[in-house]
Amino acid sequence: LYLDIKAAYYGKENAPVIVGGRYGLSSKDVDPAQMIAIYENLNLDTPKNGFTVGIIDDVSFTSLPVGEKISLSDSDCIECLFYGLGADGTVGANKNSIKIIGDKTDLYAQAYFAYDSKKSGGYTRSHLRFGKKPIRSTYLVSNPHFIACSVAAYLDIYDVVDGLRDGGTFLLNSIWDAQKTVEKIPNRVKRILAQKNANFYILNATKLAYEIGLGNRTNTIMQSAFFKLSGIINYEEAQKYMKEYAYKTYHKKGDKIVEMNYKAIDEGASELVKIEIDPSWINLKDEIKEDKYKGSSFVENIVKPMNAARGDSLPVSAFVGYEDGSFESGTTEFEKRGVGVMVPKWIGENCIQCNQCAFVCPHAVIRPFLIDENEMSNAPQGVKDKAIDAKGKELAGLKYKIQVSPLDCTGCELCAHECPSKEKSLVMVPLNGEIEKGEQENADYLFKKVVYKDDLVNKQSVKGSGFAQPLFEFHGACPGCGETPYITLVTRLFGEQLMVANATGCSSIYGGSAPSSPYRKSNKTGNGVAWANSLFEDNAEFGMGMKIATATIRHRVENIMLNTKDKAPNAIAALYNDWLANKEDRLVTQSIRDTLVPLLEANQDIQGAKELLSLKQYIAKKSQWIIGGDGWAYDIGYGGLDHVLASGENVNVLVLDTEVYSNTGGQSSKSSRSGSVAQFSASGKSVQKKDLGQISMTYGNIFVAQINLNASQANVIKAITA
Ligand code: SF4
Ligand code: SF4
Ligand code: MG
């Protein structure tokens, strides 16, 4: 593109020097309309110098005006767009469709897949093109003939049908019948379908996948419907090919999985229902929907548009005030993705109040609450009806309820499996039923308005830790993730005093991918976890740097107190003395801070008060954690980790050891066991697993524990709080 600009410049007599533009998008996203805008700029008598395109720069006004979107495809080229749910198999099925068309027909094919950064349950788009001539187009499809959407809720969030061509086809996976689907989908969508004279089909792939045993993997069903509707190849032949490719994809997983996919291919298309488009939909006005989850201006103006895949259209002015790149924490609270098809329902009379469900939930979605009389009187009726008396004399007079936040649940079933009560207290039921019964309102009230009473039962127990507010919630890890319950527990135990250096890997992706931040502030104090991600190769050093920086600043706090305590008023001097005697005690320093800060604010004129206030977040002792996977700890970051461990610094290291590189596709690491088959050790790993624990123990001053919450939950807590 840059060369093209130069050529245009050299071709023009007496043209001013064009230094070149900053092109706002990478080549995969090149929009022909934007390229035209660049040439039109060059054609002006006084072209804009140092321009931007594809970015609405309403601050320094460098953007070029861009015209209507145009398609560069040949007229006989079929363009398709598929919206899928991360890990539902849509992308895999589309890869197979493109291979079928490429291999079995004389059509040319092109495919491009776009994902968000959720490990699972995110949002995927597959851009597919087929044509008789070689395809020389951009990758993104913006004007499709065919659109398929695997999640009905996307119609409320994303601009799914906007680009559909006149007379195009829209296929929706809908859990409702035709009449209910029409009632449920937004007016905006109906209006566009009418404007475009669309062919509108629905299919209950969710129900069918469940019946067949495929869980949430609706992919082959939707694929079968695509071949039926698109008519690109004869449907009977397509079925044969789909099975051939399903075999290739799934045969390693066993005959049962292959058979289920065959069934999905056979039955998928037969369930299609055509919905007649009512021409009067063209006049429908948008409904006014109340947004129950309003956030700060950062959430409303940056996070929500980004989550709705409209981040590209944010003007530069939206970021004024955030120029340093910092993001607000706790933004996952506003996602309410509703990706769990089945969610747990609590049966209070069977519950033994052990809080184990909350302990194992990877997403901090199910929580026990202790509710006092006043909180009870303001609670929604659903809470009043279902809460039971809390067991134990220390909880006398309080009500107890296990609360699920259905729209944040991934439906992993871990809680229901874990529940030890004789009669089941947790059963999996359809998400929609729970929403209709008001469980989300109950969750919104309890999660936000009820005080987390974490000081009544010993916090260093499964039951006690469950009552603490988790400061890590609703992240994009896979359903049933085996890593995240440990992190949730660490946040419950160390709360706002937690500082985390996080190595790149799964834990950094679900830990913070713009605009999602699952680490949050505590309801009680308004302070939260400090979290930052560093590279694979230097995370341990990064964490040690945090630790040393904190220690240095706390040393300043100490000096101010030592130098000024003799002149300070008695109440303040007493607190200084108390702090100096206990400065390494987390709980004591936190409680001193809570009393001291208001006193200093009221006495800002005393010597050192202002400086101390500027350092107030360091008055309480921090708990420094260094977190990462085995790819970091055993392999790439090992040298640094060894250095930090040998240094004797008081830091906590949590290695989430999955014995492969989980984030990048399961490559063998030095933690993989001998004989294990992984990428790069296809015939079994030849050397044994490195023993990081043993190596660390040789230093003599390191407490080493190998923990697993399936083995002993009590030991996990003991080790983490040691
Ligand atoms: Fe948590 Fe999974 Fe239970 Fe949902 S089903 S509440 S995500 S453990
Ligand atoms: Fe109740 Fe079961 Fe949760 Fe224990 S695990 S608190 S018995 S619902
Ligand atoms: Mg790993």
Side-chain angles (χ1 to χ4, degrees):
L1 184 64
Y2 182 72
L3 284 175
D4 283 349
I5 294 172
K6 291 276 247 212
Y9 154 57
Y10 285 121
K12 197 167 172 206
E13 259 177 67
N14 300 327
V17 174
I18 309 282
V19 187
R22 290 193 300 276
Y23 198 72
L25 300 161
S26 60
S27 59
K28 69 177 170 29
D29 304 308
V30 165
D31 175 350
Q34 292 171 8
M35 295 171 77
I36 291 170
I38 295 172
Y39 283 106
E40 277 174 354
N41 179 51
L42 287 165
N43 216 20
L44 296 175
D45 289 337
T46 49
K48 208 172 235 182
N49 199 4
F51 58 82
T52 56
V53 64
I55 293 171
I56 305 158
D57 179 3
D58 54 351
V59 171
S60 48
F61 304 101
T62 55
S63 29
L64 301 181
V66 177
E68 286 279 298
K69 276 196 186 312
I70 56 164
S71 169
L72 292 182
S73 302
D74 284 320
S75 53
D76 66 349
C77 177
I78 307 277
E79 301 184 289
C80 309
L81 187 54
F82 295 79
Y83 289 81
L85 181 70
D88 71 351
T90 300
V91 169
N94 284 324
K95 284 186 178 163
N96 279 348
S97 300
I98 211 89
K99 284 183 211 155
I100 290 173
I101 294 167
D103 291 350
K104 309 285 181 186
T105 71
D106 52 7
L107 294 175
Y108 289 89
Q110 181 204 48
Y112 178 76
F113 303 95
Y115 318 83
D116 68 10
S117 55
K118 300 273 183 294
K119 303 297 304 178
S120 165
Y123 142 83
T124 68
R125 276 150 298 166
S126 312
H127 302 256
L128 268 48
R129 283 194 180 90
F130 318 103
K132 292 198 179 110
K133 295 190 205 128
I135 295 165
R136 299 188 209 285
S137 179
T138 56
Y139 286 141
L140 298 183
V141 167
S142 46
N143 215 206
H145 296 85
F146 180 94
I147 298 176
C149 178
S150 301
V151 186
Y154 284 179
L155 299 178
D156 291 304
I157 310 170
Y158 307 114
D159 300 334
V160 176
V161 292
D162 290 52
L164 188 68
R165 286 197 194 208
D166 201 53
T169 301
F170 175 50
L171 167 65
L172 177 69
N173 170 24
S174 171
I175 51 166
W176 305 293
D177 63 14
Q179 193 190 346
K180 194 107 189 257
T181 302
V182 171
E183 276 168 35
K184 291 277 186 182
I185 62 175
N187 283 349
R188 197 175 152 276
V189 173
K190 283 188 259 189
R191 191 171 63 233
I192 295 172
L193 293 177
Q195 279 164 355
K196 309 256 166 132
N197 302 304
N199 298 300
F200 179 21
Y201 292 88
I202 57 167
L203 167 71
N204 195 341
T206 307
K207 182 165 151 263
L208 193 56
Y210 236 84
E211 284 167 3
I212 297 176
L214 286 166
N216 70 346
R217 295 183 68 86
T218 51
N219 55 342
T220 12
I221 299 169
M222 294 294 278
Q223 184 192 28
S224 173
F226 161 69
F227 275 109
K228 178 89 185 180
L229 293 175
S230 64
I232 292 178
I233 26 183
N234 169 293
Y235 181 62
E236 275 70 44
E237 262 178 64
Q239 271 181 309
K240 200 174 79 203
Y241 299 145
M242 278 189 278
K243 286 184 184 169
E244 204 177 289
Y245 279 84
Y247 180 81
K248 275 194 199 162
T249 311
Y250 298 115
H251 77 277
K252 278 198 190 142
K253 302 203 162 140
D255 289 348
K256 206 171 147 210
I257 305 269
V258 173
E259 281 305 323
M260 287 196 281
N261 279 284
Y262 285 177
K263 206 162 175 217
I265 291 165
D266 287 337
E267 293 182 18
S270 58
E271 303 272 327
L272 278 170
V273 177
K274 180 157 193 190
I275 295 187
E276 288 311 322
I277 305 267
D278 179 345
S280 70
W281 289 355
I282 226 161
N283 302 318
L284 288 175
K285 298 267 172 304
D286 289 356
E287 310 83 343
I288 299 164
K289 278 199 182 148
E290 186 211 352
D291 183 0
K292 283 197 288 178
Y293 302 100
K294 271 222 167 335
S296 64
S297 69
F298 179 81
V299 169
E300 292 301 317
N301 301 329
I302 297 180
V303 174
K304 288 188 177 173
M306 281 177 84
N307 277 334
R310 284 191 276 269
D312 280 355
S313 60
L314 284 177
V316 174
S317 62
F319 296 91
V320 171
Y322 303 99
E323 296 89 344
D324 65 354
S326 60
F327 263 51
E328 275 182 17
S329 63
T331 60
T332 49
E333 179 188 333
F334 302 95
E335 292 182 0
K336 297 282 173 277
R337 293 184 289 149
V339 293
V341 178
M342 305 287 271
V343 301
K345 175 183 154 181
W346 180 60
I347 303 165
E349 58 269 31
N350 296 342
C351 177
I352 56 168
Q353 303 186 14
C354 65
N355 294 357
Q356 286 188 42
C357 45
F359 196 78
V360 299
C361 175
H363 294 81
V365 162
I366 184 164
R367 301 181 192 177
F369 284 94
L370 294 168
I371 316 159
D372 66 24
E373 222 172 286
N374 183 29
E375 291 163 335
M376 209 59 195
S377 64
N378 297 320
Q381 196 55 41
V383 173
K384 288 183 181 156
D385 292 345
K386 290 173 196 158
I388 55 176
D389 290 333
K391 282 186 186 147
K393 58 179 183 315
E394 67 277 42
L395 306 178
L398 294 169
K399 290 281 180 191
Y400 178 94
K401 184 172 189 315
I402 288 287
Q403 184 63 53
V404 177
S405 177
L407 289 174
D408 293 306
C409 175
T410 63
C412 72
E413 302 186 13
L414 280 194
C415 54
H417 287 297
E418 186 67 22
C419 178
S421 63
K422 239 199 233 138
E423 301 287 329
K424 272 283 164 206
S425 331
L426 292 171
V427 287
M428 299 304 287
V429 295
L431 167 67
N432 278 313
E434 290 303 278
I435 301 285
E436 274 157 25
K437 282 187 206 126
E439 279 303 314
Q440 192 59 52
E441 276 79 51
N442 297 346
D444 294 341
Y445 176 74
L446 293 177
F447 280 40
K448 299 290 287 182
K449 300 276 161 51
V450 166
V451 176
Y452 289 82
K453 298 172 188 66
D454 57 2
D455 47 2
L456 303 175
V457 178
N458 173 15
K459 208 172 160 182
Q460 296 188 11
S461 66
V462 174
K463 180 159 180 173
S465 64
F467 291 125
Q469 183 181 10
L471 300 183
F472 175 65
E473 62 184 14
F474 319 145
H475 45 76
C478 304
C481 173
E483 300 184 353
T484 48
Y486 299 91
I487 301 179
T488 314
L489 178 65
V490 170
T491 70
R492 279 188 156 117
L493 293 171
F494 298 98
E496 57 166 271
Q497 286 148 329
L498 190 59
M499 287 181 78
V500 181
N502 205 133
T504 299
C506 276
S507 56
S508 73
I509 307 303
Y510 59 62
S513 290
S516 295
S517 170
Y519 288 94
R520 60 163 298 137
K521 295 176 192 165
S522 133
N523 286 3
K524 217 185 266 178
T525 65
N527 298 318
V529 178
W531 181 92
N533 161 231
S534 187
L535 301 173
F536 238 166
E537 50 269 42
D538 70 1
N539 184 56
E541 300 93 308
F542 182 61
M544 185 157 96
M546 281 172 143
K547 168 76 195 179
I548 292 172
T550 313
T552 309
I553 298 174
R554 294 192 85 230
H555 200 64
R556 258 167 70 199
V557 170
E558 185 178 7
N559 278 340
I560 299 167
M561 289 189 183
L562 276 173
N563 295 337
T564 61
K565 68 183 169 112
D566 293 341
K567 291 160 232 152
N570 285 348
I572 294 179
L575 288 168
Y576 284 179
N577 281 327
D578 203 5
W579 188 91
L580 290 164
N582 295 291
K583 68 180 195 306
E584 296 305 320
D585 186 312
R586 266 188 325 111
L587 297 179
V588 174
T589 51
Q590 189 174 351
S591 104
I592 294 174
R593 179 204 58 192
D594 293 345
T595 333
L596 179 60
V597 169
L599 276 178
L600 289 174
E601 274 163 354
N603 294 280
Q604 295 201 23
D605 294 336
I606 66 166
Q607 200 190 341
K610 285 207 177 90
E611 194 183 357
L612 213 44
L613 281 172
S614 74
L615 304 173
K616 65 181 176 193
Q617 68 266 47
Y618 296 97
I619 295 175
K621 170 145 195 288
K622 306 286 170 209
S623 183
Q624 179 66 49
W625 286 71
I626 299 173
I627 298 179
D630 49 295
W632 158 68
Y634 286 71
D635 286 10
I636 299 175
Y638 175 67
L641 178 64
D642 179 61
H643 174 71
V644 171
L645 292 175
S647 73
E649 277 295 337
N650 180 10
V651 292
N652 306 284
V653 177
L654 176 63
V655 182
L656 303 157
D657 184 358
T658 57
E659 302 188 332
V660 283
Y661 283 74
S662 302
N663 187 44
T664 45
Q667 294 86 350
S668 151
S669 77
K670 286 187 201 75
S671 163
S672 308
R673 289 175 185 270
S674 68
S676 65
V677 172
Q679 284 200 44
F680 303 140
S681 57
S683 50
K685 193 176 167 231
S686 55
V687 288
Q688 66 172 9
K689 178 184 167 97
K690 169 160 132 186
D691 197 335
L692 191 63
Q694 281 282 3
I695 298 171
S696 309
M697 280 191 275
T698 58
Y699 289 113
N701 60 341
I702 301 169
F703 170 76
V704 179
Q706 190 173 18
I707 54 173
N708 182 316
L709 55 80
N710 294 307
S712 166
Q713 298 178 343
N715 261 352
V716 167
I717 297 185
K718 226 180 188 173
I720 286 180
T721 51

